Amino acid sequence: MLDQSQVERLEGEAVKSAQTRQPLYSARKKIFPKRASGRFRQFKWLVMAITLGIYYLTPWLRWDRGPFAPDQAVLIDLANRRFYFFFIEIWPQEFYYVAGLLMMAGVGLFLITSTVGRAWCGYACPQTVWVDLFLVVERAIEGDRNARMKLEAAPWTARKLVLRVSKHAVWLVIAMATGGAWIFYFADAPKLLGEVVTGTAAPVAYVTIAVLTGTTYVFGGLMREQVCTYMCPWPRIQAAMLDENSLTVTYNDWRGEPRSRHAKKASAARQAVGDCVDCNACVAVCPMGIDIRDGQQLECITCALCIDACDGVMDKLGRERGLISYATLADYNANMAVATSGGSRPVDPALVRTASGSFAKGLAHFHLGKIFRLRTYIYLGAWSSIGLVLVYSLLTRERLELNVLHDRNPQFVTLSDGSIRNGYTVKLLNMIPEPRTIEVTLEGLDGGEMSIVGIEQPAGRSFSIPVEPDRLKTLKIFVRQPASQIKKPVQNFEFRIDDKASSESAEYTASFNAPERDR
């Protein structure tokens, strides 16, 4: 175990200090985050690998839908107005599924924020993931924090030029791959890749790649924390989502203060000493350039790298981890009340530790049950309800639809034999990637019969219509009723369609118009 004075103190102050806020239009101070190691950093590596893997590899996954549909597992087919997601196919009129997923995403974000703070920002936000990726490249080429700071301050030399050009070249390759991966979601990936390489792809593909390459390079490589601080609205919205039982990254000054790098001398002089040795490790690893010891700040994305850095120092000193930890405001306030005798005095380490050095009884410690409260259950219930409704709708939806539009002008025609004829535009929607034979039947309307334009078959009450896979079939149907059978000027009847192979059917109630004198 090390003494406090043996712990390396990292030079540098927080770029964004909560004590002295910078003007809105002040010049940017570059941040050089030190590489952290620990359980939260490992978790961030895992999340980064999963999210980047999903983004880059998903367009290349195949899913067999038969010979009449694309075999790309996830495809947004704008030309044919379809969205394919493995075994699910969404048509334009089913956009409510997408709306439901967006609602689930919104409620899920509220749920996560109210329980574990800005975990989305710290781990899974695309800005965070790509900045982490760009930092990996930067460290690999230019070195860790101290090396990068020295390189930044050094005059331009051949070595510095080579390092900078190499770094930005790799960044541009990553940015281009990001833009390229995006366009593969909108067309068959292997085919589109060949077209892009040979220069035969549509201009919109190259424009999209260029725009996303530029935004990824600028946001992930150049602006970094500026995007989170000045462009993203979520830091300002999150305050409404948090309460005293929400987990946030917290510096527990009830055990850390007063800070000292010379605990033995302070103890000999009978001075109170906390656990914080003022090593600045938490400041050095912060990608947002803040000092978590200043308290909660708008810039903090709760990535927890400061927890890893501080835990490493506490391990070296032989002290309990958690000087910086995920904690709730309720627990923090309760412990501060103990450490300050209810707020009547400064933090006194003697009030939170026993003579043996262990924590005093009565201190609040986090356990998982604290985040499961009424608010959590409400959000979880709303999120689950939306999901269950979507799943039920998907499982019970019909893949055969019928739509009928009555001719407006004329509404009816009197034929030479006195019978009345009405015209209808009938649309048969086959929503599966297989051909079907649909039986169209006229039900009701005494004595009525129909004929279909383009089909050489005598008038009758039933027709078999072939419909191509994943297509809309439009029919022009004329319905005729003898004058002797007309009882009133408006009669209702049904068009019915059936697919005998799948037992699916649909009905539509239409109206048959006749002149008043025929009543």
Side-chain angles (χ1 to χ4, degrees), residues 233-407:
W234 191 239
R236 292 147 182 89
I237 298 173
Q238 68 160 346
M241 299 290 103
L242 301 176
D243 60 22
E244 66 276 5
N245 293 308
S246 301
L247 279 179
T248 57
V249 173
T250 305
Y251 167 61
N252 296 306
D253 48 0
W254 53 267
R255 62 168 279 197
E257 301 295 323
R259 307 172 196 173
S260 175
R261 289 189 51 79
H262 304 284
K264 290 183 178 179
K265 294 181 180 179
S267 298
R270 298 183 180 279
Q271 296 176 353
V273 179
D275 287 348
C276 181
V277 296
D278 201 21
C279 63
N280 279 346
C282 56
V283 178
V285 299
C286 181
M288 299 301 295
I290 66 171
D291 188 342
I292 193 62
R293 295 172 296 180
D294 292 339
Q296 291 298 311
Q297 297 159 67
L298 175 146
E299 294 86 359
C300 179
I301 59 174
T302 67
C303 63
L305 296 181
C306 54
I307 297 179
D308 282 340
C310 187
D311 283 349
V313 174
M314 292 297 105
D315 289 344
K316 293 177 181 179
L317 296 174
R319 298 180 182 176
E320 302 92 339
R321 292 184 168 193
L323 176 57
I324 302 175
S325 66
Y326 273 105
T328 66
L329 180 61
D331 287 349
Y332 172 82
N333 287 338
N335 293 337
M336 277 298 289
V338 173
T340 60
S341 293
S344 61
R345 53 193 290 188
V347 173
D348 185 355
L351 297 176
V352 297
R353 292 198 182 268
T354 63
S356 62
S358 60
F359 286 123
K361 293 182 179 181
L363 291 175
H365 297 282
F366 172 76
H367 58 82
L368 195 60
K370 290 187 177 182
I371 65 175
F372 291 99
R373 55 197 191 279
L374 179 60
R375 185 176 183 179
T376 304
Y377 289 122
I378 291 175
Y379 281 137
L380 184 59
W383 183 85
S384 301
S385 298
I386 298 171
L388 289 174
V389 169
L390 291 179
V391 170
Y392 176 79
S393 178
L394 278 172
L395 294 176
T396 59
R397 66 178 178 164
E398 294 288 343
R399 309 313 292 149
L400 181 64
E401 290 190 4
L402 169 66
N403 189 28
V404 179
L405 180 64
H406 194 292
D407 288 353

Side-chain angles (χ1 to χ4, degrees), residues 44-342:
K44 281 175 66 66
W45 287 132
L46 177 62
V47 172
M48 185 174 78
I50 292 174
T51 52
L52 290 176
I54 291 173
Y55 178 75
Y56 287 118
L57 298 179
T58 296
W60 302 94
L61 299 178
R62 302 291 102 182
W63 188 268
D64 185 12
R65 299 185 182 90
F68 303 103
D71 64 351
Q72 187 162 310
V74 179
L75 176 64
I76 304 172
D77 188 356
L78 295 180
N80 295 303
R81 294 179 292 178
R82 306 282 190 280
F83 172 49
Y84 298 95
F85 185 81
F86 294 92
F87 63 91
I88 299 173
E89 179 183 353
I90 303 298
W91 284 60
Q93 66 270 27
E94 296 177 312
F95 188 79
Y96 51 82
Y97 287 114
V98 179
L101 289 176
L102 293 176
M103 291 174 62
M104 287 187 68
V107 175
L109 193 56
F110 295 160
L111 170 63
I112 291 173
T113 304
S114 66
T115 52
V116 291
R118 292 177 65 185
W120 163 259
C121 298
Y123 299 97
C125 174
Q127 175 67 14
T128 298
V129 171
W130 263 272
V131 167
D132 267 358
L133 180 60
F134 278 41
L135 279 173
V136 170
V137 174
E138 185 172 89
R139 291 192 188 101
I141 295 175
E142 297 183 352
D144 205 0
R145 183 172 185 264
N146 289 339
R148 300 202 308 276
M149 292 175 68
K150 290 180 181 179
L151 185 67
E152 179 72 16
W156 282 96
T157 61
R159 176 180 177 275
K160 181 175 181 178
L161 181 62
V162 169
L163 292 178
R164 288 293 169 87
V165 170
S166 300
K167 178 182 72 174
H168 287 274
V170 177
W171 281 359
L172 283 171
V173 170
I174 294 173
M176 190 174 299
T178 302
W182 178 253
I183 66 171
F184 294 145
Y185 284 89
F186 297 86
D188 183 69
K191 180 181 178 182
L192 181 57
L193 177 61
E195 293 176 348
V196 169
V197 172
T198 58
T200 58
V204 67
Y206 298 104
V207 172
T208 302
I209 293 175
V211 170
L212 291 181
T213 298
T215 53
T216 304
Y217 172 75
V218 172
F219 291 167
L222 304 181
M223 295 184 66
R224 294 184 180 175
E225 79 288 344
Q226 303 291 93
V227 174
C228 303
T229 304
Y230 299 111
M231 297 176 64
C232 180
W234 191 239
R236 292 147 182 89
I237 298 173
Q238 68 160 346
M241 299 290 103
L242 301 176
D243 60 22
E244 66 276 5
N245 293 308
S246 301
L247 279 179
T248 57
V249 173
T250 305
Y251 167 61
N252 296 306
D253 48 0
W254 53 267
R255 62 168 279 197
E257 301 295 323
R259 307 172 196 173
S260 175
R261 289 189 51 79
H262 304 284
K264 290 183 178 179
K265 294 181 180 179
S267 298
R270 298 183 180 279
Q271 296 176 353
V273 179
D275 287 348
C276 181
V277 296
D278 201 21
C279 63
N280 279 346
C282 56
V283 178
V285 299
C286 181
M288 299 301 295
I290 66 171
D291 188 342
I292 193 62
R293 295 172 296 180
D294 292 339
Q296 291 298 311
Q297 297 159 67
L298 175 146
E299 294 86 359
C300 179
I301 59 174
T302 67
C303 63
L305 296 181
C306 54
I307 297 179
D308 282 340
C310 187
D311 283 349
V313 174
M314 292 297 105
D315 289 344
K316 293 177 181 179
L317 296 174
R319 298 180 182 176
E320 302 92 339
R321 292 184 168 193
L323 176 57
I324 302 175
S325 66
Y326 273 105
T328 66
L329 180 61
D331 287 349
Y332 172 82
N333 287 338
N335 293 337
M336 277 298 289
V338 173
T340 60
S341 293

